[in-house]
């Protein structure tokens, strides 16, 4: 890296002692680039073995990369922590203004340790760090209101990120999220609960600076190439057009859209909750993350009457994407767009991971229908597919946790099913609730073996879709190898914190050209080697914390419901996992 | 030629213009940017695009005690950094907030209406016009 690059600065904040310091960690950035590569190392350094995810010993680590602030779409922040949801590796990525703000404030990474006795929020403005009392913000019902208050209190509009938790995080729901800029999230694996356990309500970060570059002319040339690709390519236009919600109809047509807790993989109401329907009837605005010209964020405007007075309306605006539509739409049999939006609004306001919430509600519905839980557990709520008001009542109780059943739901579907039964249809993989793909074995194996049990680890669904077109899936070993190759490469992208939507633009040659300008000169082979090493380092943490590929639970439901590639074969899945095991132990 | 904000409702808040302005000056990052984009009180309300509107009778020039800022033909001002004492009157005089500040050297940063930012606005918010 270039000598005067502030990327090497790691800001350490101790919430117990209300103390902070900065260390130059060029060693880490030189070896592991930034983002997930550096954050994984900091997690190894800071998180003791067997740490309680909700204890002060669990660190929160944020990291950005060398291309952040220099090139478009290097706009994600990687968060790493020990997950209270799975009890293992926690990793979540978020856009908004977060990455640019951290880089412009003069840091490559931020490590938050300890815990506060009383609620506080952190204000990081360049090299000034403030511990602000958040007692008055604790318990405010809406995550959005909290954002508004901090917005009024703090400087640097347009140059800042405001990360905050809702009541879900305060109440330590294991799949609580952290929200930034109202519409973007560190969604998965419960970072919100880790914030809550530290009494950390929010973090605002801002800054403004110049970044060093090795060759100004070449920089402008490479920038222009990437910018043209980002604004001109049909793939990126798709993200701006209908957005990720565009996938609802094709995936449904394909027969891979999980419906009613995956009793089916085709939803008869798909058209009503499709990207096309939301765009035509509800789309109010499109937004972008900082330094991303694509603008994929889709905001629906929902106008509703209050009902107590004629002509008294409110208009709420909430973001939608493919995954929320799957989780609260098809997965719950909700085909009424307004019903979906109201449920989405509630989950946004409370600060929950929408994907996990949807899958938890889906399991609870089926569990009640099958009689393993009754209205007694649900305190009188009758759950039925498509009934969004019953789901909203349930979500409120997941936050309040008035009895053991709702306490169990607040810990995720894996935990709830371990207490109440119904594991066969408890759709979690590695402890994390499933994403919206029942496309074939690739999707499920990908999530099982993925280091964070996310569809974004290795995009197995994409392999299934290609296999369907070719009418040839290949062997289990070939499939496992493609997943591993993809996941290794994604470690590079996630270390550069490039949005995965831009993976088609940031091919290895472009990455090397861009990296060269920041003083990183590596060969293509060495780059792939770094990706492989980061992947192994993540698995080293997982293994240390008790993860084993042998212990993975396979919910029977995925074997029962036919996918577009036919019924899944359990032996095939196990062969693939076996291959991964061997490959990782090399 | 002068830069014009055609329609802020088309702005998605990507801030590509801010990075472009810095790059035009041979820098990376946003320290040198003479254009600012921020939300209009929550992103759902859209964005405010703050940039010099090339006034015909610019208040920033009127209050400059050293003749650093001189009205420019076609609107806006020319900035002669050698005369600037960094008093900040210009910044206070602009009601739109378009006089950005370089904290490192304590001098204003003034839009020269080159239109480079408009080339990097993918949604037609900015335009260079006569």
């Amino acid at each position: 890296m270039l000598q005067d690059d502030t990327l090497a600065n790691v800001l350490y904040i101790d919430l117990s002692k209300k103390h902070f310091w900065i260390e130059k960690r060029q060693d880490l950035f030189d070896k592991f680039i930034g983002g997930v590569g550096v954050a994984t190392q900091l997690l190894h350094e800071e998180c003791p073995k067997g740490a309680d995810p909700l204890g002060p010993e669990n660190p929160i680590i944020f990291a950005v990369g060398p291309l952040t602030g220099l090139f478009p779409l290097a706009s994600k922040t990687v968060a790493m922590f020990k997950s209270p949801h799975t009890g293992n590796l926690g990793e979540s990525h978020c856009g908004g203004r977060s990455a640019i703000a951290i880089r412009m404030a003069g840091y490559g990474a931020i490590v938050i340790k300890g815990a506060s006795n009383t609620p506080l929020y952190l204000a990081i403005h360049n090299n000034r760090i403030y511990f602000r009392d958040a007692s008055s913000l604790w318990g405010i019902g809406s995550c959005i209101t909290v954002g508004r208050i901090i917005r009024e209190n703090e400087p640097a509009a347009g140059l800042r990120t405001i990360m905050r938790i809702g009541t879900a995080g305060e109440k330590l729901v294991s799949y609580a999220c952290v929200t930034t800029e109202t519409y973007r999230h560190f969604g998965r694996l419960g970072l919100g609960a880790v914030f809550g356990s530290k009494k950390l309500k929010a973090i605002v970060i801002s800054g403004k600076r110049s970044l060093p570059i090795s060759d100004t002319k070449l920089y402008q040339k490479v920038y222009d190439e990437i910018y043209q690709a980002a604004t001109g390519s049909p793939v990126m236009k798709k993200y701006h057009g209908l957005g990720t919600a565009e996938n609802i109809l094709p995936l449904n047509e394909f027969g891979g859209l999980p419906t009613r807790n995956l009793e089916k993989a085709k939803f008869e109401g798909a058209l009503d909750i499709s990207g096309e329907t939301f765009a035509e009837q509800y789309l109010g605005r499109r937004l972008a993350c900082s330094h991303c010209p694509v603008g994929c964020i889709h905001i629906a405007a929902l106008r509703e009457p209050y009902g107590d007075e004629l002509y008294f309306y409110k208009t709420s605006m909430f973001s939608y994407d493919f995954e929320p539509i799957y989780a609260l739409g098809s997965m719950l049999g909700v085909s009424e767009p307004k019903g979906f939006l109201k449920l989405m609004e509630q989950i946004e306001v409370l600060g929950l991971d929408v994907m996990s919430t949807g899958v938890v509600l889906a399991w609870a519905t089926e569990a009640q229908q099958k009689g393993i839980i009754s209205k007694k557990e649900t305190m009188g709520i009758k759950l039925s597919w498509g009934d969004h008001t019953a789901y909203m009542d349930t979500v409120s109780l997941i936050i309040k946790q008035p009895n053991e059943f709702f306490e169990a739901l607040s810990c995720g579907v894996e935990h709830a099913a371990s207490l109440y039964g119904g594991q066969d249809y408890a759709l979690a993989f590695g402890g994390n609730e499933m994403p919206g793909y029942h496309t074939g074995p690739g999707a499920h194996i990908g999530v099982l073996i993925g280091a964070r049990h996310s569809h974004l680890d290795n995009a197995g669904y994409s392999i299934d879709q290609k296999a369907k077109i070719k009418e040839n899936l290949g062997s289990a070993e070939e499939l496992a190898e493609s997943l591993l190759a993809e996941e290794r490469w994604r470690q590079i992208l996630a270390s550069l914190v490039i949005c995965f939507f831009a993976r088609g633009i940031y091919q290895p040659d472009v990455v090397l050209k861009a990296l060269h300008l920041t003083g990183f000169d590596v060969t293509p082979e060495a780059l792939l080697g770094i990706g492989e090493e980061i992947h192994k380092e993540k698995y080293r943490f997982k293994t240390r914390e008790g993860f084993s590929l042998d212990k993975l639970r396979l919910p029977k439901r995925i074997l029962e419901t036919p996918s577009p590639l036919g019924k899944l074969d359990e032996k095939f899945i196990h062969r693939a996992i076996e291959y991964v095991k061997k490959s990782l132990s090399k | 030629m002068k830069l014009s904000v055609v329609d802020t409702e088309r702005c998605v808040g990507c801030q590509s213009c801010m990075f472009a302005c810095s790059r035009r000056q041979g820098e990376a990052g946003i320290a040198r940017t003479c254009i600012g984009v921020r939300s209009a009180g929550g992103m759902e309300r859209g964005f405010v695009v703050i940039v010099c509107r090339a006034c015909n009778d610019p208040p920033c020039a009127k209050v400059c005690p050293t003749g650093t800022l001189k009205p420019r033909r076609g609107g806006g001002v020319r900035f002669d950094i050698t005369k600037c004492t960094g008093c900040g009157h210009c910044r206070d005089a602009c009601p739109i907030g378009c006089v950005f500040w370089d904290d490192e050297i304590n001098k204003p940063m003034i839009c020269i209406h080159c239109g480079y930012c408009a080339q990097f606005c993918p949604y037609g918010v900015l335009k260079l016009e006569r």
Side-chain angles (χ1 to χ4, degrees):
Chain A
M1 68 190 305
L2 297 172
Q3 281 310 315
D4 45 352
D5 195 338
T6 50
L7 185 72
N9 292 344
V10 177
L11 171 64
Y12 292 82
I13 298 173
D14 186 332
L15 295 176
S16 302
K17 296 178 183 156
K18 316 281 183 293
H19 173 57
F20 68 91
W21 66 99
I22 295 162
E23 287 181 31
K24 282 257 175 219
R25 296 302 306 269
Q26 196 173 335
D27 56 323
L28 291 184
F29 286 90
D30 276 345
K31 193 163 174 206
F32 293 104
I33 304 173
V36 80
V38 166
T40 302
Q41 294 307 311
L42 289 167
L43 186 67
H44 274 291
E45 288 179 12
E46 299 295 336
C47 183
K49 190 178 171 187
D52 173 3
L54 299 178
E57 66 270 32
N58 189 19
I60 298 167
I61 293 148
F62 295 109
V64 297
L67 305 187
T68 305
L70 291 176
F71 292 100
L73 284 136
S75 47
K76 291 274 185 178
T77 302
V78 170
M80 290 190 88
F81 48 98
K82 187 170 172 183
S83 165
H85 195 53
T86 62
N88 209 301
L89 184 87
E91 178 188 336
S92 193
H93 304 180
C94 179
R97 302 221 183 286
S98 63
I100 293 295
I102 292 172
R103 185 89 160 103
M104 289 295 116
Y107 306 105
I110 299 173
V111 177
I112 298 166
K113 307 165 32 139
S116 175
N117 293 329
T118 54
L120 60 76
Y121 80 87
L122 286 169
I124 302 169
H125 299 298
N126 293 301
N127 56 356
R128 288 165 191 270
I129 284 85
Y130 303 91
F131 297 85
R132 308 239 207 252
D133 193 329
S135 306
S136 321
L137 303 180
W138 205 255
I140 286 181
S142 167
C143 194
I144 292 154
T145 309
V146 172
R148 267 183 206 150
I149 294 168
I150 296 177
R151 206 156 62 213
E152 300 287 319
N153 271 346
E154 296 289 337
L159 303 173
R160 65 191 176 190
T161 185
I162 304 176
M163 305 174 180
R164 68 269 198 177
I165 58 167
T167 40
E170 293 179 14
K171 300 284 278 180
L172 309 179
V173 175
S174 72
Y175 45 96
C177 72
V178 171
T179 303
T180 72
E181 287 65 88
T182 317
Y183 301 115
R184 298 290 93 186
H185 313 88
F186 292 101
R188 309 230 67 191
L189 296 173
L191 181 62
V194 182
F195 267 53
S197 72
K198 297 183 180 309
K199 293 270 192 294
L200 179 60
K201 184 65 185 172
I203 310 177
V204 50
I205 306 168
S206 78
K208 195 175 181 187
R209 69 182 54 244
S210 288
L211 298 170
I213 200 86
S214 65
D215 178 338
T216 311
K217 269 203 174 142
L218 185 62
Y219 169 50
Q220 298 208 351
K221 185 169 168 280
V222 175
Y223 189 101
D224 290 355
E225 282 169 22
I226 293 173
Y227 182 88
Q228 293 308 332
T231 48
S233 89
V235 182
M236 300 315 267
K237 285 205 164 101
K238 183 187 98 173
Y239 286 122
H240 181 62
L242 291 176
T244 56
E246 184 186 85
N247 288 334
I248 292 285
L249 286 182
L251 196 71
N252 192 53
E253 188 60 30
F254 190 56
L257 183 67
T259 299
R260 296 188 190 87
N261 205 32
L262 196 56
E263 283 173 350
K264 287 207 161 93
K266 228 175 189 178
F267 185 39
E268 69 286 353
L271 184 62
D272 294 328
I273 53 165
S274 63
E276 286 81 350
T277 299
F278 280 113
E280 283 159 19
Q281 297 178 20
Y282 296 97
L283 182 58
R285 194 175 282 282
R286 285 176 293 184
L287 306 173
C289 295
S290 282
H291 213 181
C292 169
V294 176
C296 76
I297 307 167
H298 287 60
I299 309 290
L302 176 65
R303 179 173 175 255
E304 288 174 287
Y306 273 101
D308 58 341
E309 189 188 317
L310 202 56
Y311 309 125
F312 195 12
Y313 291 96
K314 69 166 178 174
T315 302
S316 317
M317 297 186 82
F318 288 93
S319 70
Y320 63 87
D321 261 302
F322 169 78
E323 296 291 350
I325 296 175
Y326 135 73
L328 304 181
S330 65
M331 196 63 164
L332 298 179
V334 171
S335 59
E336 220 266 292
K338 279 192 180 173
F340 161 78
L341 287 171
K342 284 184 196 172
L343 193 49
M344 184 70 230
E345 169 175 11
Q346 183 195 22
I347 284 166
E348 191 80 274
V349 157
L350 295 169
L352 285 161
D353 171 20
V354 62
M355 291 166 71
S356 288
T357 307
V359 176
V360 165
L361 294 172
W363 171 84
T365 309
E366 189 168 346
Q368 200 180 44
Q369 288 180 349
K370 291 210 154 71
I372 65 167
I373 55 161
S374 66
K375 274 192 181 176
K376 185 172 155 271
E377 280 84 4
T378 59
M379 302 182 74
I381 299 171
K382 184 179 178 300
L383 293 161
S384 52
W385 303 123
D387 182 358
H388 71 269
T389 52
Y391 289 129
M392 290 174 72
D393 294 342
T394 309
V395 168
S396 296
L397 295 177
I398 289 175
I399 303 292
K400 291 190 186 117
Q401 300 156 36
N403 66 12
E404 281 175 11
F405 176 68
F406 286 104
E407 271 172 39
L409 290 189
S410 78
C411 297
V413 81
E414 184 87 38
H415 179 74
S418 75
L419 297 179
Y420 292 88
Q423 275 104 336
D424 290 350
Y425 49 88
L427 290 160
F429 297 81
N432 197 20
E433 285 74 13
M434 75 173 287
Y437 303 95
H438 186 58
T439 47
H444 297 297
I445 296 168
V447 174
L448 282 164
I449 65 159
R452 52 182 171 137
H453 307 292
S454 158
H455 62 296
L456 296 169
D457 280 326
N458 44 43
Y461 56 90
S462 163
I463 294 177
D464 290 333
Q465 283 160 319
K466 284 175 194 148
K468 176 78 178 171
I469 294 164
K470 281 194 296 188
E471 289 183 354
N472 179 18
L473 181 64
S475 70
E477 290 74 16
E478 283 167 337
L479 174 64
E481 185 51 44
S482 329
L483 290 167
L484 282 170
E486 181 65 22
E487 185 156 351
R488 287 174 188 139
W489 173 245
R490 286 188 179 212
Q491 303 316 303
I492 295 300
L493 294 177
S495 295
L496 297 162
V497 299
I498 286 164
C499 176
F500 288 162
F501 290 174
R503 61 190 181 273
I505 296 168
Y506 281 95
Q507 298 284 335
D509 57 325
V510 175
V511 165
L512 289 170
K513 266 200 279 189
L515 268 178
H516 166 69
L517 287 154
T518 70
F520 280 97
D521 282 300
V522 283
T523 62
E525 297 73 31
L527 191 66
L528 293 177
I530 296 171
E532 191 172 345
E533 191 175 353
I534 295 168
H535 184 235
K536 282 197 171 163
E537 285 291 290
K538 280 161 73 167
Y539 255 89
R540 183 162 72 86
F541 184 89
K542 285 174 80 72
T543 311
R544 192 194 86 174
E545 296 299 322
F547 176 81
S548 162
L549 286 164
D550 294 328
K551 288 195 265 179
L552 284 170
R553 186 181 67 86
L554 217 58
K556 281 223 177 64
R557 175 60 47 80
I558 63 163
L559 306 171
E560 294 160 357
T561 303
S563 80
L565 296 173
K567 276 203 174 186
L568 304 197
D569 173 7
E570 193 170 356
K571 282 184 197 143
F572 183 94
I573 297 175
H574 284 299
R575 279 212 309 278
I577 293 174
E578 205 51 41
Y579 179 89
V580 172
K581 217 168 89 186
K582 277 191 197 138
S583 177
L584 283 169
S585 60
K586 269 183 209 162
Chain B
M1 301 293 276
K2 68 179 189 178
L3 188 67
S4 150
V5 179
V6 183
D7 183 358
T8 53
E9 288 299 319
R10 296 180 66 98
C11 180
V12 297
C14 72
Q15 303 184 322
S16 294
C17 54
M18 292 165 61
F19 287 92
C21 184
S22 268
R23 230 168 33 255
R24 164 75 174 73
Q25 301 170 67
E27 291 211 17
I30 45 174
R32 296 285 310 160
T33 188
C34 301
I35 182 166
V37 175
R38 62 168 170 80
S39 85
M43 290 195 184
E44 64 276 14
R45 291 164 197 259
F47 295 91
V48 178
V49 180
I50 305 154
V51 67
C52 174
R53 66 180 299 263
C55 310
N56 287 325
D57 185 14
C60 56
K62 280 189 268 191
V63 298
C64 177
T66 59
T68 298
L69 295 172
K70 291 256 175 67
R72 163 184 176 271
R73 247 176 62 193
V77 288
R78 285 189 192 288
F79 175 48
D80 179 356
I81 197 164
T82 58
K83 291 184 187 159
C84 180
T85 59
C87 70
H89 289 348
C90 53
R91 182 177 46 183
D92 299 339
C94 179
I96 311 171
C98 301
V99 176
F100 291 82
W101 206 256
D102 186 333
D103 291 321
E104 277 177 22
I105 57 169
N106 191 39
K107 299 266 155 83
M109 300 187 293
I110 304 285
C111 171
I112 59 167
H113 295 270
C114 69
Y116 194 70
C117 56
Q119 290 175 35
F120 289 86
C121 176
Y123 302 112
V125 180
L126 301 166
K127 203 168 107 188
L128 194 65
E129 56 186 22
R130 281 194 188 282

